[in-house]
Amino acid sequence: MKPSKTYSWVVVGLLWGVALLNYMDRQMLSTMKPAMQHDITELQSATNFGYLMAIFLWIYGCMSPVSGIIADKFNRKWLIVGSLFVWSGVTFTMGYARTFNELYWLRAIMGVSEALYIPAGLSLIADYHQHKTRSLAVGIHMTGFYLGQAIGGFGATVAASYSWQATFHSFGMIGIVYACVLMIGLKEYRKKEIAPAKQPVTPGGSFLKGLVPLFSNMAFWVILFYFAVPSLPGWATKNWLPTLFAGNLNIPMSEAGPLSTITIASSSFLGVITGGILSDKWIQKNIRGRVYTSAIGIALTIPALLLLGSGHTLIHIVGAALCFGFGYGMFDANNMPILCQFVPARSRATAYGMMNMVGVFSGAFITNLLGKSTDGGHLGRDFAMLAVIVLVALVVQLYFLRPKENDLAE
């Protein structure tokens, strides 16, 4: 039986909460370095802090394609619930960490658990929302990530008022409670065939078999490239924008954290909603409407990166961050909808898992690189240089991505 339109939006609402917690728990660490480095002295080095942020990304990236394959085979509801419960438990436990190594391994475990969510969550939304509402539904879901990123930016502020340990405990407990809510309210999409018992899963069998049609699809390789390149500045802003704000504006991290994350999150919020509505309208008149909407978003990030790297006044820096967030939001709202134009439903979680992997590996690379840039005193310059490769991705996207239908059939 086809799900009601009302429940299709309930699913978006429930998963919006998961998306918020997903980014809130991972982002809060990026602003809490000053509070934590008094107790864990290794964090006084920006390079070491970069390693701590990057281990999450490397593990998250390695797990993403595996998570996508699992989500295409099994019940996504329980995959999402389990993922949320584990990473929230890890966040809670981080409040008890006393050494750099303990934090390092907890971040690695968080990378495994958080990777299980996005391919499952987005493919579930894509099943519940087709044709006229897909980009808007994905866009609304993405606002959860941005709000979570903004709330995570208050980690330093909460830690300054209480303690960094209490901050981790509080945020982790919220996620554990919400996982119990999902057990009751979230339902798997009924039309999806889930792991029949007569088809046992073996390491070299059905798990890897789903990768063959993806790797033989040239459009998928283009999608991987155009997704990976904008991920470089995307992850750079997530992990190093608070540091850039603090350095370029000469303000403390307790102010730079909320200012930078709220600026990016609020503009990205507007971007995904605008991009979702525009894309869903444009696709009704032009089959490349989603591609064009995404391209407009990517184009907006180019001047923003140049100004972020070179600006030293509040108006320049905040204005550039607003422009970047709005453009990145338009891009973000259309990644899964564009993927649906080139990949059938049975392989979409796997495909998005691969996209997530290359995007996150790009993020791990740039996180390490910008850690060294910070220690070397040229963080702004390296931020600005990212505009060049984003321009290349924009050209590749517009030239090669030419879909023939809105929703590729099986």
Side-chain angles (χ1 to χ4, degrees):
M1 186 168 103
K2 187 176 180 180
S4 69
K5 289 183 180 179
T6 300
Y7 185 73
S8 294
W9 288 108
V10 169
V11 169
V12 175
L14 289 170
L15 295 183
W16 182 89
V18 184
L20 182 148
L21 293 167
N22 187 281
Y23 263 64
M24 182 180 75
D25 288 350
R26 75 170 72 170
Q27 182 66 25
M28 57 191 291
L29 181 64
S30 69
T31 66
M32 291 175 64
K33 177 177 175 285
M36 298 175 69
Q37 67 187 12
H38 297 297
D39 297 315
I40 304 174
T41 56
E42 294 94 331
L43 296 181
Q44 293 174 11
S45 165
T47 300
N48 281 341
F49 190 70
Y51 291 149
L52 190 62
M53 302 298 286
I55 185 60
F56 170 86
L57 297 180
W58 287 116
I59 298 295
Y60 184 93
C62 287
M63 277 299 300
S64 288
V66 177
S67 302
I69 294 170
I70 293 172
D72 277 330
K73 301 293 180 183
F74 298 108
N75 190 297
R76 291 168 294 186
K77 168 188 172 175
W78 294 110
L79 191 61
I80 291 167
V81 170
S83 172
L84 172 60
F85 186 85
V86 172
W87 90 59
S88 298
V90 168
T91 301
F92 183 87
T93 306
M94 286 178 76
Y96 294 107
R98 294 293 177 268
T99 68
F100 178 82
N101 284 339
E102 288 174 356
L103 281 175
Y104 191 84
W105 288 111
L106 284 170
R107 285 289 285 182
I109 296 170
M110 180 177 279
V112 174
S113 56
E114 287 209 3
L116 291 169
Y117 171 63
I118 292 182
L122 286 180
S123 67
L124 191 60
I125 290 173
D127 279 349
Y128 273 104
H129 290 269
Q130 301 174 12
H131 308 300
K132 294 183 179 180
T133 61
R134 180 171 283 158
S135 284
L136 181 58
V138 170
I140 291 173
H141 172 261
M142 287 294 180
T143 65
F145 290 131
Y146 301 136
L147 184 58
Q149 182 180 349
I151 295 174
F154 281 93
T157 306
V158 177
S161 301
Y162 299 95
S163 70
W164 63 267
Q165 293 94 339
T167 305
F168 281 123
H169 292 330
S170 301
F171 283 38
M173 184 55 65
I174 291 170
I176 292 171
V177 172
Y178 194 68
C180 297
V181 173
L182 289 184
M183 289 182 190
I184 301 170
L186 188 62
K187 298 176 184 177
E188 175 61 86
Y189 186 73
R190 294 294 182 187
K191 283 190 174 182
K192 186 174 177 72
E193 185 179 3
I194 302 169
K198 65 180 181 181
Q199 295 178 352
V201 175
T202 59
S206 58
F207 263 133
L208 298 181
K209 196 164 143 189
L211 297 177
V212 175
L214 287 179
F215 289 156
S216 60
N217 184 344
M218 185 57 66
F220 178 65
W221 288 102
V222 175
I223 291 173
L224 282 181
F225 176 77
Y226 101 81
F227 184 80
V229 172
S231 294
L232 291 169
W235 282 101
T237 56
K238 289 180 181 73
N239 292 333
W240 287 109
L241 194 61
T243 303
L244 184 70
F245 267 52
N248 286 11
L249 298 176
N250 294 315
I251 58 177
M253 185 61 81
S254 59
E255 296 177 16
L259 178 61
S260 61
T261 53
I262 288 175
T263 300
I264 287 289
S266 60
S267 56
S268 297
F269 183 99
L270 293 174
V272 291
I273 298 299
T274 302
I277 294 173
L278 177 60
S279 177
D280 284 336
K281 297 284 186 186
W282 206 341
I283 193 69
Q284 304 302 315
K285 298 178 180 179
N286 189 317
I287 199 63
R288 297 187 74 194
R290 301 199 193 281
V291 174
Y292 291 146
T293 304
S294 177
I296 292 171
I298 293 176
L300 287 173
T301 67
I302 296 172
L305 286 168
L306 293 171
L307 196 52
L308 273 174
S310 59
H312 290 278
T313 68
L314 184 64
I315 292 177
H316 288 158
I317 295 290
V318 172
L322 288 171
C323 183
F324 180 89
F326 187 83
Y328 201 85
M330 294 182 70
F331 161 76
D332 234 0
N334 285 285
N335 289 322
M336 176 56 92
I338 289 173
L339 183 69
C340 292
Q341 293 187 279
F342 295 96
V343 175
R346 68 176 183 274
S347 301
R348 284 172 190 163
T350 301
Y352 200 89
M354 294 295 298
M355 290 167 62
N356 221 21
M357 180 186 72
V358 297
V360 169
F361 282 169
S362 298
F365 167 77
I366 202 65
T367 297
N368 272 333
L369 178 64
L370 293 183
K372 295 174 183 176
S373 296
T374 301
D375 285 339
H378 43 79
L379 178 62
R381 182 200 70 187
D382 290 347
F383 248 92
M385 289 178 64
L386 292 172
V388 177
I389 53 176
V390 173
L391 177 60
V392 174
L394 175 61
V395 173
V396 169
Q397 180 198 25
L398 286 173
Y399 185 80
F400 288 102
L401 287 186
R402 302 177 182 273
K404 294 187 169 134
E405 52 190 305
N406 184 29
D407 199 343
L408 188 66
E410 295 292 331

